[in-house]
Amino acid sequence: MNVTVCQSCGMPLTTPAQFGMEADGSTTREYCIYCYKEGKFEQPGISLEGMTEMCTAILKDEGMDEESARSMLRNQLPFLKRWRTNTTDQHANSLTENSAAATHPGQVTTDRSFSTQPIRYVTLPGKRLAGVSARTTNAIEISGKGCIQGLWNNYFASEHLPAPEAARYGCYADYTDGITGEYTILVGHEASSDETLPEGLNDILLPPATYAVFTSRKGPMAEVVGEAWGTVWAWDKQSDRTFTGDFELYDERSLNPESVQVDIYIAVRQTR
């Protein structure tokens, strides 16, 4: 499924009717029809902050908490093509520098050319993750009525946690329609294939896959995770995604919530 997001406002583009239009009448997948018509922006003089406030008002009208919407947009929009500046690129390049020493199993190909590109590609064997899970959609999560934060709270309140230094995962799997449909979110840890899970824990089996890995800078968790997802949404190879299962990895770099560094693994096609 070839789904992109508008490189001006961040809206997912799921149908041709949402695509922007060039001056010659052809469509573009870079921008939505609300931001870009006849080869030019509909709001040519709007600033990044102005776009943030305009989109915040729209999301608020759709039922999302105002501050949650504003925070999400401030994390996402600066990484989109229309708003990328030298300052943004320098900041994103620092993500690469901060994560250079991180190591992961599998074959690694480094790509550090652009701020919104993955730090590297890795091929990993299948794995089993165990934890607490729920079904949700991106629309529900951005509405302010989502379940993800509650799952994290429930997981850490569980009596069946591994050692404190064990890696934690936020896994997104069983997609029904890419980024627009339902998916399962599981918060948990890695489990062996023959491990019997205690009551109350579920599991997800991730198949062997190649992943594009996006690594955040070091900073407060509430900031850096959103920023890292901003680079994912701004990535220009959304059509490479396979939706066989994506995950956030919280390892020893995430023990201090005020100085967290997280990796986001996005499953992609193996042909590169």
Side-chain angles (χ1 to χ4, degrees), residues 159-239:
E159 299 177 352
H160 308 291
L161 296 179
E165 64 273 13
R168 266 57 171 190
Y169 293 80
C171 179
Y172 307 84
D174 299 327
Y175 292 90
T176 60
D177 192 17
I179 64 174
T180 61
E182 285 191 346
Y183 55 85
T184 296
I185 165 70
L186 180 141
V187 174
H189 53 270
E190 196 162 354
S192 63
S193 59
D194 58 353
E195 181 178 344
T196 300
L197 299 182
E199 184 177 355
L201 294 190
N202 304 313
D203 65 354
I204 283 178
L205 302 178
L206 292 176
T210 296
Y211 296 92
V213 185
F214 297 79
T215 300
S216 77
R217 65 179 173 92
K218 292 181 179 179
M221 180 178 292
E223 295 179 7
V224 302
V225 176
E227 289 175 2
W229 275 108
T231 66
V232 174
W233 293 124
W235 188 34
D236 60 3
K237 292 184 174 59
Q238 296 290 323
S239 60

Side-chain angles (χ1 to χ4, degrees), residues 1 4 16 20 49 51 63 65 68 83 119 161 163 173 178 208 234:
M1 181 179 182
T4 60
E49 188 61 27
M51 179 63 74
D65 173 74
S68 296
W83 310 111
I119 298 298
L161 296 179

Side-chain angles (χ1 to χ4, degrees), residues 2-20 28-36 51 54-55 58-59 62 72-73 76-77 80 83 138 142 179-180 233-234 238:
N2 190 0
V3 177
T4 60
V5 297
C6 173
Q7 294 296 301
S8 173
C9 70
M11 184 181 81
L13 304 179
T14 59
T15 67
Q18 296 172 320
F19 299 163
T28 174
R29 296 183 65 93
E30 283 196 322
Y31 300 106
C32 72
I33 192 65
Y34 307 109
C35 289
Y36 192 80
M51 179 63 74
M54 183 177 75
C55 293
I58 293 172
L59 292 173
E62 293 178 352
M72 179 189 72
L73 291 164
Q76 177 185 7
L77 296 190
L80 301 180
W83 310 111
N138 286 333
I142 68 174
I179 64 174
T180 61
W233 293 124
Q238 296 290 323

